[in-house]
Amino acid sequence: MNADIQRRRRAAADAVLGDRRSMPPRGDAEAFAPANIALVKYWGKRDAALNLPVTGSLSVSLGDAGTRTAIRPADRDSLRMNVNLIDPAAPAARRVSEFLDLVRPSSAAGFAVETVNSVPTAAGVASSASGFAALVRALDGLYGWDLNPAEMSVLARLGSGSACRSLWDGFVEWIPGTDSEGADSRGAPIDVRWPELRIGVWVLDDAPKAVASREGMRRTVETSPLYPAWPAVVARDLIEVRQAVAGRDLERLGRVAEGNALAMHATAIAARPSALYWRPESVAAMARITALRAGGMPVWFTLDAGPNLKLIFEAASGAALTREIPALRSLAPFG
Amino acid sequence: MNADIQRRRRAAADAVLGDRRSMPPRGDAEAFAPANIALVKYWGKRDAALNLPVTGSLSVSLGDAGTRTAIRPADRDSLRMNVNLIDPAAPAARRVSEFLDLVRPSSAAGFAVETVNSVPTAAGVASSASGFAALVRALDGLYGWDLNPAEMSVLARLGSGSACRSLWDGFVEWIPGTDSEGADSRGAPIDVRWPELRIGVWVLDDAPKAVASREGMRRTVETSPLYPAWPAVVARDLIEVRQAVAGRDLERLGRVAEGNALAMHATAIAARPSALYWRPESVAAMARITALRAGGMPVWFTLDAGPNLKLIFEAASGAALTREIPALRSLAPFG
């Protein structure tokens, strides 16, 4: 990471932390944050250093599915994920250390970080969002910063863009903001409870992706001739999804979320070279859901930058859907 | 077909035929026209009645792969395709009769039409383009109109848009034109021979399509939020493909043709509801070609509104490619 980028990221963290930087740690701390699934996708950065998005996005947090993180001061950084000690040179450990650089009291200070995901990493639910949100909450506890969720959201965004949506339960919108340093780019909760809503995770392929999501996003923004149409898609879909959430209108929510995910993948498919995240099994699964829906079952799908499907349905369809798709893992966002 | 549409189509045919309408038939006639594969796709109509396109497109004709058509005056219309007599109420027969309405000397006059495709219809090469081009050539012979290819191209376009590119061998560009009645919307040949070029047809699924190509095109233009970006894709790709053809630059031709096909499918995938033409096998086949290319084989793919792949390569790679993909049928556009 070059010096200018580091300086800008550190300044963005300073804008949140202010005087709190001088507070001493309290020993150790532990915190949890939920994973989230975007119903209107985050796809494209206007600033890669600060994870500032081109557009807004809207997600639902996944209740008790997420990441639990413990942290304590140490001589040097170490990262344990789901019991495994991660090589400090591995991308996941470097990304955590680069984030800890933002809050480190001195360059000599390290942190021992241990995380456990309650949804297996291979289950196709991104762990970076819940991971960085839980890390910020744990740091807040360790130092007693007492940040509010909006402040923690700005900080978590510097670790992973979508992490800024994992500071709340339920529906969360990421307000893209206009500030060049990202002070106003953060999550904002939507005050709607929808206890019957379910998100089903259907894992079709747990092999590493051929194109990482950050790379696919970058390549799409830079080379896809269809990307210029994406911001207007999001603007329109956000309005519809907000209305669908407010009215707890599953048909509308599912239809727009599915269309938004397909439009996101379409922009990536048209990148040059193409960023095609689908496996043959993904296409078969999409056709299966379309057929189930044609047969009267109220179920829709979304896909993130990977081959797996996430299904959107209500509790009443859960049993029938699990009979059709035994591999489905059903999650309850509202407990 | 409503009266206003019929009137406009008939007027467009009159503009080509003029005084020739009064010429008597000479007995019978027979003609051939090649199929064509678009390297820059025709995707979207600005006028559905006259098959006027939103953008230009560029194709290569497939040599001796195409349609041979015989025609003679008869008491009523009849259509035989590959030996089978087609029910006059079937879509294919109705489409031919509606085209014959444009040239019929009187409403009582019929035609017996017999067509034979030298590539099986199920092989995934559209037969409507070569079919309507051959029909126009056969009518020209039957009546001794002596139209030039550009005039025949305007007439053939009224039967099927892409038929206007099947009046020439080799590379053909469809000039979209600006006239509201389509007088200047027709094919134009490109004076380049490329004897080593091959088009491989890789059939993955010969079942009828879930979404017909006309319907997918219409739905994409009307509902896909990414379609507004399509005309700019074509404008850019046409420039590159013209240059690739002029320089017989396979790498450039393949790369741009593949990117153009993926962008076309991407606009359709983003239609609402989605028009997804791919089968699981299509995704596996695209990954296979990408892997072969990564391994050093100069081969690219294109797909029309269906699940099958057409490969773009040169004769030197033919044997190795057929070993890898035994089902591949290789066609030589330049004989």
Side-chain angles (χ1 to χ4, degrees), chain B residues 7-248:
Chain B
R7 189 191 53 71
R8 287 184 67 216
R9 285 167 56 83
R10 179 96 183 187
D14 278 345
V16 173
L17 292 174
D19 287 347
R20 294 181 180 87
R21 277 219 180 278
S22 55
M23 296 168 75
R26 295 171 167 186
D28 59 17
E30 199 177 305
F32 171 84
N36 73 73
I37 294 288
L39 302 167
V40 177
K41 302 297 183 190
Y42 158 45
W43 193 239
K45 304 184 188 196
R46 68 175 198 269
D47 186 317
L50 302 176
N51 291 332
L52 296 176
V54 173
T55 70
S57 54
L58 196 155
S59 61
V60 63
S61 291
L62 295 182
D64 60 9
T67 303
R68 177 161 291 280
T69 294
I71 190 164
R72 57 181 171 78
D75 289 343
R76 64 185 65 79
D77 289 348
S78 66
L79 174 63
R80 205 176 274 277
M81 293 177 87
N82 299 320
V83 190
N84 308 307
L85 197 62
I86 308 297
D87 180 338
R94 291 186 52 172
R95 207 164 148 196
V96 167
S97 281
E98 283 171 358
F99 181 77
L100 292 169
D101 288 345
L102 302 176
V103 300
R104 235 182 269 287
S106 82
S107 59
F111 296 94
V113 176
E114 297 186 27
T115 76
V116 177
N117 289 320
S118 55
V119 179
T121 307
V125 175
S127 56
S128 64
S130 54
F132 281 102
L135 182 57
V136 168
R137 282 181 172 166
L139 283 163
D140 184 77
L142 181 69
Y143 284 101
W145 291 332
D146 201 24
L147 297 171
N148 65 37
E151 291 166 326
M152 286 196 269
S153 176
V154 170
L155 220 45
R157 197 202 70 234
L158 297 169
S160 170
S162 53
C164 80
R165 296 184 312 230
S166 275
L167 274 303
W168 294 269
D169 287 326
F171 297 101
V172 179
E173 189 167 339
W174 180 356
I175 311 300
T178 55
D179 181 58
S180 68
E181 303 312 300
D184 57 356
S185 185
R186 60 169 183 87
I190 296 173
D191 186 22
V192 169
R193 280 186 54 78
W194 191 338
E196 305 79 13
L197 187 69
R198 296 291 178 274
I199 299 292
V201 178
W202 187 2
V203 175
L204 298 157
D205 182 4
D206 56 9
K209 300 172 192 176
V211 184
S213 50
R214 289 192 154 201
E215 160 60 13
M217 191 187 276
R218 189 198 58 74
R219 195 194 291 176
T220 300
V221 174
E222 290 176 9
T223 75
S224 171
L226 300 184
Y227 189 77
W230 172 251
V233 179
V234 171
R236 182 178 118 165
D237 290 347
L238 275 175
I239 291 168
E240 274 225 69
V241 167
R242 279 182 210 125
Q243 291 176 354
V245 165
R248 279 173 283 197

Side-chain angles (χ1 to χ4, degrees), chain A residues 207-222:
Chain A
K209 299 172 193 175
V211 184
S213 51
R214 289 192 154 201
E215 161 60 15
M217 192 188 275
R218 188 197 59 73
R219 195 193 293 174
T220 301
V221 173
E222 289 176 11

Side-chain angles (χ1 to χ4, degrees), chain A residues 13-40:
Chain A
D14 278 345
V16 173
L17 293 174
D19 287 345
R20 294 181 180 87
R21 277 219 178 279
S22 54
M23 295 167 77
R26 295 173 165 182
D28 58 14
E30 200 178 304
F32 171 85
N36 74 72
I37 294 288
L39 302 167
V40 177

Side-chain angles (χ1 to χ4, degrees), chain A residues 205-251:
Chain A
D205 182 3
D206 56 9
K209 299 172 193 175
V211 184
S213 51
R214 289 192 154 201
E215 161 60 15
M217 192 188 275
R218 188 197 59 73
R219 195 193 293 174
T220 301
V221 173
E222 289 176 11
T223 75
S224 173
L226 300 184
Y227 189 76
W230 172 250
V233 179
V234 172
R236 182 179 117 164
D237 290 348
L238 274 175
I239 292 168
E240 274 225 70
V241 167
R242 279 183 209 124
Q243 291 177 353
V245 165
R248 278 173 285 196
D249 179 341
L250 182 72
E251 195 275 335

